[in-house]
């Protein structure tokens, strides 16, 4: 069993809020994490899987049932199946608050969806805190497993499979199941074949700027329809759209966002890449590594930090810009080479945005200077740097 770093945060939030929402794609480990929490908490929480008829029968009269469980944490799994519960939860939470049970009432698990967030934000405002459970990250599996995690991705069953072949089979079945079973639940009438084709196109174009019109033309659908498909995948936490930095500088900046398939293992499964040797010889290797690094970095951002990419029409470019306040700005270039070199466009971009820190993330272990205050650094070390709330301020002085 791999210890999830988010567990401590969930326990802390349960001590501060009446309800905590844990969101993430299917099979990422939400249920397993809730079971581990249930073993540690006293009194023992009540667990309800809202996809099972027997558990649904227990909440035919939800208010009465929840009132009977006063003093216990109630875990509601796959709550998007019963969205009408949100309106009921508000009244239950407020009644329990009046009786002195102000925190730790509900842990809500759900595969993210716009509808889920809309329902809860309208009815549970001020009563719920959200956390996203990502796939496994480097700081959870260990630095020595970097290659394996990159190839297989962060879904626990894929990462811990007995072989690369078994892992690939799991991911390919996951993709098929998502398209045939889960996407229709969230997205209505979305043709599975069209969405698979879009997903595969995005894998081939990992880390490129989003061209909705071109994607729509390739799919044989309108641009608004293609945009809706992409938003659905983004909402299900399967793709990440990174917006361009748009500070007040006198340069022509690009306006189109960049798009990544969030899990590197799914990227490789869509492209039928089975082994690390296959990956190293594939044209996607650089973009795949970039997406893998970005997901690990974003997972470690402290509260309040924001992320962007930077690109001008003239070619100045920074892969990832992390901002913590208006005066602390980290510029990050991502290279797959063991002997990284920095392009002129990166230096220009750093001057444009007035970067306070400049790093090149590469697959080696040593930390060394590349000149002009640019530091080559490993992925685990830069994750440690950006996760420390005061590190940016401290090193900027």
């Amino acid at each position: 069993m791999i210890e999830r770093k988010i567990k401590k945060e969930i326990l802390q939030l349960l001590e501060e809020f009446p309800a905590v929402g844990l969101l993430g794609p299917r099979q990422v480990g939400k249920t397993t994490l809730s079971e581990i929490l249930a073993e540690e908490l006293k009194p023992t929480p009540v667990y309800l899987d809202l996809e099972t008829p027997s558990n649904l029968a227990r909440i035919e009269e939800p208010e009465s049932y929840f009132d009977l469980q006063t003093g216990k944490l109630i875990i509601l799994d796959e709550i998007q199946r019963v969205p009408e519960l949100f309106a009921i939860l508000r009244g239950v939470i407020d009644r329990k608050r009046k009786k002195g049970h102000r925190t730790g009432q509900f842990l809500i698990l759900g595969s993210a969806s716009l509808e889920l967030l809309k329902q809860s934000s309208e009815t549970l405002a001020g009563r719920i805190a959200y956390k996203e459970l990502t796939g496994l990250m480097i700081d959870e599996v260990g630095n020595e497993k970097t290659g394996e995690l990159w190839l297989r991705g962060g879904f626990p069953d894929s990462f811990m499979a007995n072989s690369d072949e078994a892992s690939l089979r799991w991911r390919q079945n996951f993709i098929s199941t998502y398209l045939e079973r889960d996407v229709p639940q969230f997205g209505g009438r979305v043709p599975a074949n069209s969405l698979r084709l879009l997903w595969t196109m995005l894998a081939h174009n990992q880390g490129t700027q989003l061209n909705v019109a071109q994607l729509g033309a390739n799919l044989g659908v309108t641009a608004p329809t293609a945009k809706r498909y992409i938003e659905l995948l983004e909402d299900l936490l399967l793709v990440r759209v990174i917006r361009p930095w748009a500070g007040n500088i006198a340069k022509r900046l690009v306006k189109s966002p960049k798009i990544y398939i969030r899990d590197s293992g799914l990227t490789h499964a869509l492209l039928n890449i089975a082994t690390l040797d296959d990956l190293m010889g594939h044209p996607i290797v650089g973009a795949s590594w970039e997406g893998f690094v970005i997901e690990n970095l974003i997972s470690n951002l402290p509260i309040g930090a924001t992320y962007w990419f930077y690109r001008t029409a003239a070619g100045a470019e920074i892969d990832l810009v992390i901002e913590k306040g208006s005066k602390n700005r980290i510029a990050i270039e991502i290279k797959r080479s063991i002997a990284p070199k920095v392009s002129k466009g990166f230096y220009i971009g750093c001057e444009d945005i007035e970067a306070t820190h400049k790093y090149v993330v590469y697959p080696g272990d040593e930390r060394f200077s590349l000149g002009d205050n640019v530091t080559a650094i490993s992925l685990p070390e830069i994750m440690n740097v950006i996760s420390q709330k005061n590190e940016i301020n401290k090193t900027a002085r």
Side-chain angles (χ1 to χ4, degrees):
M1 186 66 66
I2 297 174
E3 180 81 9
R4 302 306 307 266
K5 63 184 181 182
I6 198 176
K7 186 179 77 170
K8 292 181 180 179
E9 296 179 64
I10 297 296
L11 288 171
Q12 180 178 347
L13 290 174
L14 286 171
E15 294 178 355
E16 299 172 355
F17 290 86
V20 176
L22 182 60
L23 303 178
R26 284 186 179 273
Q27 304 298 319
V28 80
K30 300 186 299 294
T31 301
T32 300
L33 179 58
S34 70
E35 291 172 347
I36 293 172
L37 292 171
E39 292 176 357
E40 298 183 8
L41 294 172
K42 300 297 179 184
T44 302
V46 175
Y47 174 82
L48 296 173
D49 182 353
L50 301 182
E51 289 191 316
T52 62
S54 59
N55 280 190
L56 284 173
R58 294 164 66 182
I59 56 169
E60 285 188 0
E61 295 183 5
E63 291 185 81
S64 299
Y65 180 81
F66 293 152
D67 286 341
L68 286 173
Q69 309 301 328
T70 296
K72 296 181 180 179
L73 175 69
I74 300 173
I75 302 172
L76 300 174
D77 200 352
E78 299 298 343
I79 195 169
Q80 72 278 352
R81 293 284 188 177
V82 194
E84 59 270 20
L85 276 181
F86 282 115
I88 296 169
L89 289 178
R90 176 176 179 173
V92 173
I93 287 172
D94 289 346
R95 284 198 302 275
K96 290 187 177 184
R97 273 175 151 180
K98 291 178 180 178
K99 295 178 180 179
H101 302 285
R102 302 192 60 81
T103 61
Q105 298 182 28
F106 292 94
L107 176 59
I108 298 170
L109 315 180
S111 303
S113 74
L114 289 171
E115 185 63 26
L116 176 65
L117 296 175
K118 180 181 177 182
Q119 290 275 354
S120 59
S121 63
E122 289 177 351
T123 60
L124 297 181
R127 301 167 178 83
I128 188 168
Y130 283 109
K131 288 299 295 184
E132 179 192 332
L133 182 63
T134 67
L136 297 168
M137 297 293 164
I138 285 292
D139 51 359
E140 293 175 315
V141 306
N143 302 348
E144 70 282 359
K145 296 286 188 178
T146 299
E148 191 173 346
L149 183 64
W150 176 32
L151 173 67
R152 297 184 178 187
F155 286 92
D157 287 341
S158 174
F159 175 73
M160 295 187 291
N162 292 328
S163 66
D164 289 343
E165 292 75 13
S167 171
L168 180 61
R169 282 194 298 272
W170 185 93
R171 282 174 276 137
Q172 289 175 334
N173 286 327
F174 173 86
I175 291 168
S176 296
T177 301
Y178 232 104
L179 292 171
E180 295 165 6
R181 177 179 180 270
D182 295 312
V183 169
Q185 171 192 332
F186 292 106
R189 296 182 178 179
V190 179
N193 289 338
S194 295
L195 202 58
R196 177 183 283 275
L197 181 57
L198 171 62
W199 215 349
T200 304
M201 279 192 245
L202 294 178
H204 280 287
N205 293 282
Q206 177 83 331
T208 61
Q209 285 185 258
L210 182 59
N211 187 332
V212 175
Q214 185 62 55
L215 288 171
N218 292 340
L219 287 170
V221 300
T222 64
T225 298
K227 185 174 183 290
R228 180 167 62 89
Y229 292 173
I230 292 167
E231 288 174 345
L232 175 61
L233 291 175
E234 183 182 15
D235 185 51
L236 294 173
L237 304 176
L238 297 172
V239 304
R240 184 182 294 280
V241 176
I242 299 182
R243 271 67 187 181
W245 188 85
N248 186 23
I249 63 173
K251 289 199 174 184
R252 185 182 172 191
L253 304 177
V254 301
K255 297 181 179 179
S256 298
K258 291 171 69 174
I259 189 166
Y260 297 86
I261 294 176
R262 294 184 57 167
D263 184 76
S264 59
L266 294 184
T267 303
H268 303 151
L270 288 162
L271 300 175
N272 293 310
I273 297 172
T275 67
L276 271 176
D277 285 343
D278 294 338
L279 177 56
M280 292 303 183
H282 198 283
I284 202 66
V285 60
S288 172
W289 173 252
E290 180 180 315
F292 174 73
V293 170
I294 285 174
E295 279 303 306
N296 274 270
L297 294 181
I298 290 175
S299 75
N300 265 33
L301 290 182
I303 294 174
T306 56
Y307 60 90
W308 320 85
F309 78 93
Y310 178 81
R311 183 177 293 171
T312 68
E317 182 176 0
I318 302 171
D319 291 330
L320 190 67
V321 178
I322 296 174
E323 290 186 316
K324 183 67 167 68
S326 59
K327 297 182 180 180
N328 300 299
R329 196 167 290 140
I330 301 179
I332 297 175
E333 183 79 356
I334 301 167
K335 298 291 186 182
R336 179 57 205 161
S337 172
I338 200 69
K341 296 181 180 179
V342 183
S343 67
K344 181 180 179 182
F346 177 73
Y347 288 116
I348 295 173
C350 289
E351 292 178 3
D352 291 345
I353 68 170
E354 299 180 351
T356 54
H357 305 78
K358 293 172 278 188
Y359 292 104
V360 175
V361 180
Y362 80 117
D365 297 323
E366 297 182 4
R367 177 171 178 161
F368 56 91
S369 173
L370 292 171
D372 196 23
N373 295 319
V374 179
T375 301
I377 193 170
S378 68
L379 174 56
E381 189 173 359
I382 187 65
M383 288 176 68
N384 185 54
V385 168
I386 66 172
S387 68
Q388 298 175 30
K389 296 180 181 179
N390 297 321
E391 182 71 16
I392 300 174
N393 291 328
K394 181 176 67 177
T395 56
R397 294 193 187 104

